[in-house]
């Protein structure tokens, strides 16, 4: 299968959103996606660009994405966070995931970052094996900590 890895464009955001929803379904969270195509356009292409996205394009359209954004480590300095690397189910095993990860690593290197980081669900063994094969360290002794929108609201209310 022929494909091209390139920077995402505004007109790709509908297909990007479809892949995000496909991932949510795979991760057993089908109702978790709240963003819209317009949110992706505003946040990725607006005045304050919040992320950079690469797409894997085939003759059938966008079959994969890698979405990254800048972070800062107080120990290491500038880093990027890989929020999602998604390959459509029908294209898994085709090399698209490797090609997208290659692009993310080259991008991070061009920015001079000290680290590229991301999370993977502990039950997603195919992804864990893929990342470990690429030389990534899966830090199993760290837990992800989050305050969701409701948690933020409750926290703020508790300050009063």
């Amino acid at each position: 299968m022929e494909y091209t890895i390139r920077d995402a464009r505004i007109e790709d955001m509908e297909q990007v959103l479809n892949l995000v929803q496909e991932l949510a379904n795979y991760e057993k969270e089908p109702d978790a996606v709240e963003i819209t195509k317009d949110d992706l356009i505003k946040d990725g292409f607006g005045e304050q660009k919040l992320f950079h996205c690469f797409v894997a394009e085939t003759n059938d359209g966008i079959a994969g994405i890698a979405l990254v954004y800048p972070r800062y480590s107080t120990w290491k300095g500038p880093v990027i966070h890989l929020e999602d690397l998604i390959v459509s189910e029908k294209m898994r095993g085709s090399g698209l995931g490797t090609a997208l990860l290659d692009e993310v690593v080259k991008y991070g290197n061009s920015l001079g970052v000290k680290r590229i980081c991301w999370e993977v669900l502990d039950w997603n063994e195919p992804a864990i094996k893929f990342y470990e094969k690429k030389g990534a360290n899966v830090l199993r002794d760290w837990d992800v900590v989050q305050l969701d929108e409701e948690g933020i609201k409750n926290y703020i209310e508790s300050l009063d």
Side-chain angles (χ1 to χ4, degrees), residues 9-65:
R9 299 187 287 253
I10 289 174
E11 58 268 21
D12 299 326
M13 292 302 103
E14 181 80 37
Q15 292 178 78
V16 167
L17 182 59
N18 291 340
L19 284 168
V20 169
Q21 185 61 56
E22 184 178 326
L23 176 65
N25 294 342
Y26 175 77
E27 292 185 351
K28 301 171 181 64
E29 293 280 347
D31 299 322
V33 178
E34 298 178 7
I35 62 164
T36 66
K37 177 181 80 168
D38 291 337
D39 292 329
L40 288 169
I41 292 169
K42 176 181 63 76
D43 295 339
F45 301 91
E47 281 185 35
Q48 186 178 13
K49 188 175 172 183
L50 299 179
F51 66 83
H52 187 86
C53 184
F54 298 100
V55 297
E57 184 174 39
T58 70
N59 292 337
D60 296 329
I62 305 301
I65 69 160

Side-chain angles (χ1 to χ4, degrees), residues 62-135:
I62 305 301
I65 69 160
L67 190 143
V68 299
Y69 58 88
R71 287 175 57 179
Y72 193 83
S73 165
T74 56
W75 289 11
K76 303 293 182 189
V79 301
I80 57 173
H81 182 84
L82 173 59
E83 179 64 18
D84 282 318
L85 189 150
I86 307 169
V87 175
S88 67
E89 186 174 6
K90 66 182 180 182
M91 294 300 295
R92 290 186 193 138
S94 68
L96 286 185
T98 294
L100 285 163
L101 186 58
D102 291 352
E103 203 62 32
V104 167
V105 174
K106 289 188 290 187
Y107 177 72
N109 186 59
S110 75
L111 296 176
V113 301
K114 303 295 183 182
R115 181 173 65 214
I116 301 169
C117 55
W118 62 95
E119 288 94 28
V120 61
L121 289 168
D122 61 359
W123 56 260
N124 192 346
E125 282 301 319
I128 292 169
K129 287 178 183 175
F130 171 77
Y131 294 135
E132 287 178 335
K133 182 178 174 188
K134 300 297 180 190

